[in-house]
Amino acid sequence: MRVNGNELTQGPVMATMLRFAVPMILGDLLQQCYNIADTLIVGRFLGADALAAVGSAFSLMTFLTSILLGLAMGSGTVFSIRFGQQDEQGLKEGVLASFVLLGAVTVVLNVLVFAGTDWIIRALRTPAELTALMKDYLTVIFAGLAGIFLYNFFAALLRSLGNSVVPLAFLAVSAALNIVLDLWFVAGLGRGVAGAAEATVIAQYVSGLGIALYTAVRFPELIRPAPGVRLRRTRMKEIFSFSALTCLQQSIMNLGILAVQGLVNSFGTTIMAAFAAAVKIDAFAYLPVQDFGNAFSIFISQNYGAGKTGRIRKGIRTAMLTTVTFGLALSALVWVLAAPLMGLFIDDPATAGPVIAEGVRYLHIEGAFYALIGVLFLLYGLYRALGRPGMSVVLTVVSLGLRVALAYALSALPGVGVVGIWWSVPIGWVLADAFGILYYLRRRRTLVG
């Protein structure tokens, strides 16, 4: 029996990409609601100290999630190529190998983070007055890693088959549940930052277990044992080769952000609170171009597996134009709305003014360059889809390595301070984009054919 899915190798290029990308964009916007709901509700009901603690923990959880997300994305690339080639046995064995790999990594991560919570808090240079709050939050939020694994694995599998709508549906339910539980646990029951974490973990398991059950019912041929399908060393090696580099890319990206978070923490609670709120707005704003890059990668993967080089070239041109146009419009919108958006996260009259002012300054600097990060996400997706995930890692090292180095160097200059951290971000984007585009122009015949 052939696995049924939605092929991205046929139909108008723009319409096909957008039809597939829009549910992914909406889904991940909802996923951001997990952390935004925590931040907004914590900031307004518990104050700036709690906001700073949750915001700092968010950077750590983003790093941990990126490991699982990177493994799932790399696996999804293999699934997409096999689906494009109509290699059903290769797809089934890849699914089995990927599930074993991601499950094992999830167990290891859980053991490490629970054992090292105190060390992690110290490594993030958390101010003494926030240590207890951050530990309360982390102790609960770490329990959600298995839910994150389940959701990202099965979402990557369904998307590789051309189905981006079902992952959206499960996230919609869990995001709404998260917001309701946040309000109940924090505002109603007074459970503090631990209550915000509990709400998020419950919602994560709803989406993870729900999408796993759906996949088992809708695509039982991919889940149940079948003659000739077993855990093979070659499949594990293939999944690992794609997933490990994609995971490394995602981890480096978020490890750099984590390193910057430690630097931000050294500037005190006001800067921490401003960064906690602004980075949520920032991530929410450019998430559409990030997800468009992921959808573009799956589009390229399927067509690469099917050998449709002309469609790949047209897809690259279309995606670049769409991303740059959308990024410029997004930058204009965030510039105008920076202050009102920051005002949503903090309602304490004693601290709101300085926190909002610093957050607006961050958004006016970084938010002006969303087109650049959009292009970078396309380059990540392109090289991953063409079997060159190592190049995605190189671009990440260029972008994040420069960001971290410049953040520490510029912020130490007299009269510059924290503004140097904000400016380090777009500078890293510019140089990584230039490097990635030049590499493609010089090797496009080898890459695409």
Side-chain angles (χ1 to χ4, degrees):
M1 181 192 303
R2 185 175 184 273
V3 176
N4 293 315
N6 300 317
E7 294 190 10
L8 306 178
T9 56
Q10 301 172 4
V13 170
M14 172 67 88
T16 300
M17 276 200 289
L18 288 178
R19 187 169 58 249
F20 181 63
V22 167
M24 288 180 65
I25 292 169
L26 293 176
D28 272 350
L29 287 173
L30 286 170
Q31 193 167 32
Q32 284 294 321
C33 287
Y34 285 150
N35 289 302
I36 287 179
D38 283 347
T39 307
L40 193 150
I41 293 168
V42 166
R44 295 188 72 86
F45 286 98
L46 302 178
D49 281 0
L51 174 61
V54 171
S56 190
F58 168 75
S59 296
L60 172 62
M61 282 306 297
T62 300
F63 169 66
L64 295 174
T65 302
S66 73
I67 297 174
L68 300 176
L69 178 61
L71 292 171
M73 288 169 61
S75 298
T77 299
V78 177
F79 302 158
S80 297
I81 292 172
R82 295 289 166 262
F83 183 70
Q85 293 173 335
Q86 300 185 15
D87 179 3
E88 185 174 350
Q89 179 161 341
L91 175 59
K92 291 178 180 179
E93 291 181 345
V95 169
L96 175 60
S98 176
F99 188 86
V100 171
L101 176 63
L102 267 74
V105 171
T106 302
V107 171
V108 171
L109 283 178
N110 262 307
V111 171
L112 291 176
V113 295
F114 276 118
T117 300
D118 291 334
W119 179 87
I120 290 169
I121 292 172
R122 290 194 301 271
L124 287 174
R125 300 163 73 178
T126 306
E129 66 270 20
L130 302 183
T131 298
L133 286 171
M134 193 167 173
K135 187 170 184 177
D136 287 346
Y137 187 81
L138 290 178
T139 300
V140 177
I141 205 72
F142 285 154
L145 285 173
I148 293 171
F149 149 60
L150 288 173
Y151 176 79
N152 282 291
F153 173 81
F154 286 104
L157 174 56
L158 292 176
R159 288 166 181 162
S160 72
L161 303 179
N163 187 338
S164 56
V165 174
V166 169
L168 167 64
F170 282 102
L171 272 179
V173 172
S174 60
L177 176 63
N178 183 57
I179 294 170
V180 170
L181 291 178
D182 255 329
L183 289 169
W184 182 26
F185 290 175
V186 176
L189 301 179
R191 293 192 52 76
V193 295
E198 290 162 359
T200 298
V201 168
I202 291 170
Q204 286 168 340
Y205 276 102
V206 167
S207 62
L209 292 172
I211 197 170
L213 180 61
Y214 171 87
T215 307
V217 172
R218 178 66 180 82
F219 297 101
E221 67 273 21
L222 291 177
I223 305 301
R224 68 189 177 201
V229 175
R230 58 187 177 85
L231 189 62
R232 300 179 189 273
R233 180 180 298 179
T234 54
R235 299 298 182 192
M236 286 291 290
K237 184 177 179 181
E238 180 184 45
I239 290 291
F240 183 80
S241 65
F242 272 84
S243 297
L245 286 173
T246 306
C247 175
L248 180 62
Q249 178 223 340
Q250 292 287 314
S251 299
I252 290 172
M253 185 163 58
N254 288 286
L255 187 59
I257 294 171
L258 201 58
V260 171
Q261 178 72 62
L263 180 59
V264 167
N265 290 356
S266 70
F267 282 86
T269 301
T270 296
I271 300 300
M272 286 178 68
F275 185 69
V279 80
K280 299 296 190 306
I281 298 166
D282 196 40
F284 199 85
Y286 68 62
L287 195 64
V289 293
Q290 180 177 4
D291 283 314
F292 186 73
N294 292 335
F296 165 76
S297 184
I298 295 171
F299 171 89
I300 297 295
S301 294
Q302 280 200 17
N303 284 281
Y304 183 64
K308 298 194 173 184
T309 57
R311 190 171 174 84
I312 291 173
R313 291 194 199 95
K314 187 173 181 180
I316 292 170
R317 293 193 298 270
T318 301
M320 283 287 184
L321 179 61
T322 302
T323 295
V324 170
T325 302
F326 182 81
L328 292 173
L330 197 60
S331 290
L333 188 64
V334 170
W335 181 282
V336 171
L337 298 178
L341 288 171
M342 282 295 302
L344 293 173
F345 289 87
I346 188 74
D347 196 35
D348 184 352
T351 58
V355 170
I356 291 174
E358 193 58 54
V360 168
R361 183 160 62 167
Y362 170 95
L363 291 171
H364 280 177
I365 294 172
E366 183 164 343
F369 299 97
Y370 289 141
L372 296 178
I373 186 63
V375 170
L376 189 54
F377 284 130
L378 288 182
L379 292 170
Y380 290 155
L382 174 65
Y383 291 120
R384 188 168 62 246
L386 297 179
R388 302 290 181 91
M391 187 58 190
S392 296
V393 175
V394 171
L395 293 179
T396 304
V397 170
V398 172
S399 173
L400 268 298
L402 285 171
R403 174 181 178 176
V404 174
L406 287 171
Y408 278 83
L410 295 177
S411 64
L413 294 176
V416 177
V418 74
V419 178
I421 303 176
W422 309 158
W423 271 110
S424 68
V425 180
I427 295 173
W429 292 345
V430 169
L431 295 176
D433 282 348
F435 187 84
I437 291 171
L438 285 173
Y439 181 87
Y440 173 77
L441 292 176
R442 290 183 177 182
R443 305 200 177 191
R444 56 185 163 186
R445 291 184 180 178
T446 304
L447 290 169
V448 179

